[in-house]
Amino acid sequence: MHRRIIVPSALATGLLLAIPAAAVAGGPPASPKDRSVTGAPGIGDPYYPASGNGGYDVSHYDLRLKYQPKTDLLEGTATIVATTTQELARFNLDLGLKASEVLVNGKKAKFAATGAHELEITPVAPLAKNKAISVVVKYAGKPSELKIDGFSAWARTPDGGIAAQEPDSAVWWFPSNDHPLDKATYDISVSVPDGTQAISNGVLVSQSSKLGWTRYNWRSNKPQASYLATLAVGKFDITTDTTANGLPVLNAYSKDLGDNDGAARASIERTTEVAEWLESVFGKYPFNALGGYVPNVPSGYALETQTRPFYSPRQFANGANVSVVVHELAHQWYGDSVSVKGWKDIWVNEGFARYSQWLWSEKEGEGTAQELADYVYAQHPADDPFWTVKPGDPGPDKQFDIAVYDRGALALQALRNTVGEKDFFAILKGWPTERAYGNANVNDFVKYAERISGKPLATLFDTWLYEPVRPAAPAAAKARLAQGLAKGSAQGKKGAAPAQPKSWKKIAATNSIHDHGAGGEAAHGHDHH
């Protein structure tokens, strides 16, 4: 999605410096020690200083919502279960809608809206460190009318509304500690007019109707980042199934997708097949449900909302595209189960999701990962700005740049060629198993790959992820190029650029996944892929 965040100039200058992989340790910096009584208004992420909050750790969100599509009015009661990580006389939640009442441990607390999306809460008495707390927030508003930096992460549809954006969408519909470092489980209960459905993450536990309203109760029982929580209200055609392992599969399609309806279904209905193939690459699927949804929105991006990715209809404007499904489902392991420590670590999500598309191409016989790597490398000459983007720390304005995806995938092909097939695939499967439901940064992955392969890899990753220049072509690529040149001259042809793999157009068509921006501005839209 990305709303634009203005980074202080001194910090922005610092982001331009090359940061070797060996130096990328730890997550965002801890809050200053002088915050002993007041929770910090940000969690410490230099890309998004206002995201998240300090002083507590959330374990569970219980959201009880009512939404009226005709007016876009959302009314909510959020119950947040958390533990303090310091003494707290005051703390913040991230929320853009208007709160009407706040209770902390059952007692009414003072509260005030500050900044662009801060809800500043003062409990009756200071909270002790390491104390279990409950926070109840009653709130309401029209999400589509909430603009932050001129941007809205809430999309209205002809029959409802959608929350699906990155790096954040939660502030448009529920109070949270809005940063991937603080993951939690979720119960999301939504009441909508009869004839309308409410889609969210995880398993549909129950639904019931009363007095013209239907309530849908969803549960996500594994840790989930706030930006990966989604809500879609509208009129959908829903398909359900069960995987071989007994997981429920639920896909939803707006009833008014028009010419894109068939292609969307032909893609999303392969979700189970794709997920089962990905299990062979990345290990056991980490969550309690599968699926996807395609609402009638004009955007072009897709997003790996946990268990149930969001897809824009435009992803299927040129026919079915299973590659985008591969990308978003790969994120269930790389990005959702193993989440970033800070947003600069986006390569740990996007490089792997892109590479999964290359592996799918390899499996389908439409071009090997090596052929795709050679083709990508050849597309970008040394003076292409593509090479100035550092996937290992791209900066907030380049967080979803195509280089994070394609150069990020090139780094993985270089790793594969360096450590060999056995160790490479052991790394791909072992990492999301060892780090399941946690957070990690780029350097964590580098260390893991070194441990599994027994090889020093810091230089390799510095070259492909941090140096703002085009790396030299690997020896194998040079040999292939020389072979192609000889073959070309023998046939009287000029040049020997690698042939375009059959899968390339489908993979390239998913590049718009990045456009989470508002109205085509340089907002970061992540849409992946």
Side-chain angles (χ1 to χ4, degrees), residues 358 373 376-377 386-387 405-415 464:
W358 293 10
V376 167
Y377 184 86
F386 174 90
W387 300 108
Y405 298 72
D406 281 352
R407 185 176 176 179
L410 286 173
L412 289 170
Q413 185 60 31
L415 174 65
W464 288 97

Side-chain angles (χ1 to χ4, degrees), residues 117-427:
H117 54 71
E118 300 290 334
L119 181 63
E120 206 171 80
I121 299 169
T122 306
V124 174
L127 305 171
K129 183 179 179 181
N130 297 325
K131 179 180 174 62
I133 62 170
S134 66
V135 183
V136 176
V137 181
K138 296 182 181 180
Y139 62 99
K142 296 183 178 182
S144 63
E145 294 180 359
L146 172 62
K147 300 287 193 294
I148 298 177
D149 297 328
F151 174 79
S152 177
W154 180 270
R156 290 213 70 181
T157 62
D159 52 22
I162 308 294
Q165 264 293 2
E166 181 182 19
D168 50 10
S169 65
V171 295
W172 275 266
W173 63 291
F174 69 95
S176 72
N177 192 9
D178 196 11
H179 191 278
L181 268 180
D182 194 357
K183 300 201 282 189
T185 54
Y186 283 75
D187 282 312
I188 299 178
S189 175
V190 191
S191 183
V192 294
D194 286 349
T196 302
Q197 295 116 325
I199 309 293
S200 191
N201 311 80
V203 171
L204 180 61
V205 178
S206 64
Q207 71 180 72
S208 58
S209 295
K210 184 178 180 181
L211 301 174
W213 291 78
T214 302
R215 183 168 287 282
Y216 294 83
N217 298 301
W218 295 88
R219 168 164 288 185
S220 289
N221 65 348
K222 299 296 184 187
Q224 176 172 291
S226 51
Y227 85 95
L228 296 172
T230 191
L231 175 63
V233 175
K235 295 181 179 179
F236 297 96
D237 281 332
I238 291 176
T239 65
T240 59
D241 198 2
T242 305
T243 68
N245 293 330
L247 291 182
V249 184
L250 185 147
N251 300 320
Y253 309 89
S254 278
K255 293 176 181 286
D256 51 0
L257 294 179
D259 291 346
N260 296 336
D261 182 80
R265 292 170 186 261
S267 308
I268 312 304
E269 291 301 310
R270 295 183 69 181
T271 290
T272 299
E273 172 197 354
V274 169
E276 289 176 350
W277 170 73
L278 283 167
E279 285 190 312
S280 71
V281 181
F282 297 149
K284 185 179 177 182
Y285 180 74
F287 302 124
N288 67 343
L290 264 175
Y293 74 95
V294 190
N296 183 7
V297 289
S299 60
Y301 66 93
L303 183 66
E304 65 273 17
T305 40
Q306 195 158 305
T307 71
R308 190 153 290 108
F310 158 91
Y311 302 93
S312 297
R314 272 206 342 243
Q315 286 289 323
F316 312 106
N318 294 315
N321 194 342
V322 181
S323 191
V324 70
V325 177
V326 172
H327 184 112
E328 302 307 339
L329 291 179
H331 273 309
Q332 304 304 307
W333 286 262
Y334 282 85
D336 293 11
S337 178
V338 187
S339 302
V340 297
K341 282 183 178 175
W343 283 109
K344 69 180 176 58
D345 302 308
I346 191 66
W347 172 77
V348 181
N349 295 11
E350 298 304 345
F352 294 80
R354 174 62 103 197
Y355 195 77
S356 71
Q357 295 176 271
W358 293 10
L359 291 175
W360 177 261
S361 170
E362 200 165 272
K363 179 188 88 77
E364 294 289 281
E366 295 183 343
T368 65
Q370 185 63 63
E371 288 167 344
L372 284 158
D374 290 345
Y375 187 75
V376 167
Y377 184 86
Q379 297 306 301
H380 301 285
D383 61 354
D384 191 326
F386 174 90
W387 300 108
T388 66
V389 176
K390 298 171 290 184
D393 188 6
D397 287 339
K398 297 288 186 181
Q399 189 181 351
F400 299 103
D401 190 272
I402 188 63
V404 174
Y405 298 72
D406 281 352
R407 185 176 176 179
L410 286 173
L412 289 170
Q413 185 60 31
L415 174 65
R416 183 177 179 178
N417 291 337
T418 300
V419 304
E421 296 290 288
K422 182 179 178 182
D423 283 349
F424 178 72
F425 285 100
I427 290 165

Side-chain angles (χ1 to χ4, degrees), residues 92-117:
N92 288 25
L93 288 168
D94 297 300
L95 176 66
L97 300 181
K98 186 176 181 179
S100 59
E101 185 177 54
V102 176
L103 296 90
V104 177
N105 296 333
K107 297 181 177 65
K108 286 191 177 183
K110 294 180 180 178
F111 61 93
T114 63
H117 54 71

